[in-house]
Amino acid sequence: MMKNYLKPLIIALLAFALISCDKDDDNINGSARESALFGQWEYEAIESNTAVDINGDGTVNFDFYNTNEIRQCLKDDLTFFTNGPAEVGKNVFSINENGLSCGEVDPFNTVESDEYELVDNEILRFDNRNDMRIVSFTRNRLVLEQDDYLDGQNVVITYTYKRS
């Protein structure tokens, strides 16, 4: 009698194991992080730990990506992490307009550029912007936190990127 239940149980466990294993989402740790950052990333989410009113419409939000707190043309921007010149010893961070320009910069041109270094494989230390902390990092998803000051208060902004 027990034998009749064992076979379906084993098949169900094997199916669950195969479904739950996704090599594309393996965490990237340690020294592999620096080179794994290189490439083009796009926003998937932008959130705050505190509800704020960035756009001045009288409504506070935690979620900046799925609301009108920031303009759609900013949510469309692409972020690039690239290998910097060897003589400088730092890598290059840039944000570029995608197809939906905000008007200040033509589509597909650089909006912001900075140099950075990865400190202790956990912190992106920039020359001109606040540090960003790596919260999680897989092959296709990167989650960063950054301290900021918005709407008259200190907040932590969480940026979730997907590789594009």
Side-chain angles (χ1 to χ4, degrees), residues 58-75:
T59 303
V60 296
N61 286 292
F62 293 95
D63 183 349
F64 301 158
Y65 190 79
N66 294 306
T67 63
N68 292 322
E69 283 304 325
I70 57 177
R71 297 182 294 170
Q72 185 62 38
C73 58
L74 296 174
K75 297 180 233 182

Side-chain angles (χ1 to χ4, degrees), residues 16-128:
F16 177 76
L18 289 173
I19 290 170
S20 65
C21 291
D22 185 0
K23 291 296 181 194
D24 286 343
D25 286 335
D26 289 343
N27 285 330
I28 297 174
N29 296 308
S31 61
R33 284 184 165 183
E34 184 167 12
S35 61
L37 271 171
F38 297 155
Q40 176 178 303
W41 298 85
E42 62 185 272
Y43 295 116
E44 190 172 76
I46 305 170
E47 302 171 323
S48 173
N49 68 330
T50 304
V52 294
D53 179 15
I54 297 174
N55 64 3
D57 68 355
T59 303
V60 296
N61 286 292
F62 293 95
D63 183 349
F64 301 158
Y65 190 79
N66 294 306
T67 63
N68 292 322
E69 283 304 325
I70 57 177
R71 297 182 294 170
Q72 185 62 38
C73 58
L74 296 174
K75 297 180 233 182
D76 181 56
D77 288 350
L78 298 174
T79 300
F80 294 87
F81 294 94
T82 55
N83 195 3
E87 65 273 7
V88 175
K90 293 185 179 182
N91 294 311
V92 178
F93 166 88
S94 62
I95 299 175
N96 289 23
E97 287 283 12
N98 200 359
L100 186 58
S101 172
C102 287
E104 295 86 19
V105 176
D106 290 334
F108 311 111
N109 285 292
T110 302
V111 174
E112 179 183 344
S113 184
D114 203 348
E115 293 180 346
Y116 75 93
E117 58 186 329
L118 182 59
V119 178
D120 297 328
N121 297 313
E122 294 180 16
I123 298 171
L124 298 173
R125 176 136 313 133
F126 296 91
D127 287 349
N128 300 306

Side-chain angles (χ1 to χ4, degrees), residues 109-164:
N109 285 292
T110 302
V111 174
E112 179 183 344
S113 184
D114 203 348
E115 293 180 346
Y116 75 93
E117 58 186 329
L118 182 59
V119 178
D120 297 328
N121 297 313
E122 294 180 16
I123 298 171
L124 298 173
R125 176 136 313 133
F126 296 91
D127 287 349
N128 300 306
R129 59 183 2 242
N130 293 345
D131 290 353
M132 294 178 130
R133 297 173 297 281
I134 297 175
V135 175
S136 67
F137 190 8
T138 65
R139 217 177 297 185
N140 295 314
R141 181 164 285 119
L142 173 64
V143 180
L144 301 173
E145 284 184 342
Q146 185 176 45
D147 297 328
D148 208 336
Y149 187 78
L150 299 173
D151 198 25
Q153 53 193 323
N154 292 315
V155 297
V156 176
I157 304 298
T158 302
Y159 299 93
T160 303
Y161 298 94
K162 62 182 175 182
R163 193 174 293 278
S164 58

Side-chain angles (χ1 to χ4, degrees), residues 1-9:
M1 183 93 157
M2 184 129 156
K3 196 174 185 179
N4 292 339
Y5 293 107
L6 192 57
K7 188 174 181 180
L9 180 62

